[in-house]
Amino acid sequence: MNLGTTAVSLGGITLGTIIVVLVVQRWWKKGGGGGGKKGDDGGSRDWKQLIPFTVALAYGILAVLAAGPISLLGLVTRFGLWGGDGIGTLYLVYGVGGSSPDVTRAAPVVLTAGGYAVYAIWTAVVIGNYLWSRRLPRLQSLAGILAGILLGLSSGVAGTAAVPLASAVNVAGSWYAGVVQ
């Protein structure tokens, strides 16, 4: 894979899915941080414990679609995509004996100028939360961003989430651009 390109193989999608499944599995097994009594089955799982991961996942999907290759964030995103896709391909091909064809969506999703402004604000919030939050699970957030980067370019289910996500950011950006002008 070339760092300048935005393409993902089945191995990358597989690794992104594995990350999502493992985070949900860990949440399920640990009881999700719910206030259950000792000795129960962890049946009091609190879905709000998955919010930081879900926000990071959505951010990763948007990051791989929006970050230009010339920007610093674009370079970081491309490196994450390249590395994660390579690891996923190695696992899929040499770990379990499968193959890893290209599964990149046909058309990229583009943000408007206001959408990029909202994306820039979201980037600052993600970095700020990572640096200054004591309660935010940092590893879970990084895993969510990586999973989003790997899943955002897929032509399947995760790829279809990119269109409404980018559209929502563009709508918020239109509102924001209208407010600040």
Side-chain angles (χ1 to χ4, degrees), residues 23-32 41-42 45:
V23 167
V24 172
Q25 179 185 27
R26 182 177 186 273
W27 168 79
W28 184 264
K29 291 288 191 181
K30 292 238 178 208
D41 295 326
R45 288 169 189 83

Side-chain angles (χ1 to χ4, degrees), residues 68-106:
I70 299 171
S71 67
L72 176 62
L73 187 58
L75 291 173
V76 170
T77 302
R78 298 296 191 286
F79 185 70
L81 177 64
W82 176 77
D85 191 54
I87 291 169
T89 297
L90 287 172
Y91 175 65
L92 197 58
V93 173
Y94 298 107
V96 297
S99 64
S100 187
D102 184 13
V103 292
T104 307
R105 63 183 295 116

